[in-house]
Amino acid sequence: MREEPTPPTRHLRVHEDRGYTVLELRGEIDIASAAEISPLLDRLTGREYARVVLDLRPVEFFDCSGLRLVNRARHRVLERGGRLQLVCAHPLTLRVLAVTGLTRVLPPHPTLEAALRALGGDRAH
């Protein structure tokens, strides 16, 4: 059964790159945008053996709602045998990720290319 394409939202852009699903969060990621993003994020991270990159580079504001989204995506992907990489270069967002300890379990890459290389290094699911 073929899955329908993901409808675009103002805060989430989805595209494929070399067989990986890239979820690009955009703008202000707060409680309101998280409510909009969550159902799509759940659908895309709920696949068996998903290969996902969360790209936070276009994020302008990131609070605890964003942390919950990232952590939820990580858990969902890993529970289903998938792989997840994170892209983040913004100093304030990196600081929020580091202070909460998320960078220890999901180290961020500065570019999409670096994240894709990290995923490609493991040819298993």
Side-chain angles (χ1 to χ4, degrees):
M1 183 167 124
R2 189 176 167 147
E3 197 167 310
E4 292 182 30
T6 303
T9 76
R10 192 172 63 160
H11 298 285
L12 178 64
R13 180 176 159 239
V14 179
H15 60 97
E16 297 291 320
D17 192 325
R18 291 171 257 177
Y20 299 95
T21 303
V22 179
L23 308 177
E24 185 180 284
L25 277 63
R26 309 172 66 80
E28 296 186 6
I29 306 303
D30 56 18
I31 193 164
S33 60
E36 175 187 309
I37 293 167
S38 240
L40 298 172
L41 192 73
D42 282 356
R43 189 176 89 190
L44 294 165
T45 59
R47 301 175 182 158
E48 292 291 316
Y49 308 114
R51 299 184 323 172
V52 176
V53 176
L54 275 177
D55 189 349
L56 303 183
R57 289 175 301 164
V59 170
E60 298 163 5
F61 175 82
F62 191 81
D63 69 6
C64 62
S65 300
L67 286 170
R68 279 192 295 274
L69 286 174
V70 171
N71 202 38
R72 181 171 173 80
R74 178 181 165 273
H75 282 288
R76 290 175 58 79
V77 168
L78 295 178
E79 285 175 349
R80 292 160 179 80
R83 301 273 322 275
L84 179 89
Q85 294 293 326
L86 179 66
V87 179
C88 183
H90 193 282
L92 293 176
T93 305
L94 285 169
R95 183 170 179 186
V96 170
L97 294 168
V99 166
T100 61
L102 200 52
T103 55
R104 280 184 269 136
V105 294
L106 188 59
H109 298 277
T111 66
L112 179 58
E113 187 62 37
L116 290 171
R117 270 197 315 272
L119 279 168
D122 179 0
R123 296 290 174 206
H125 301 288

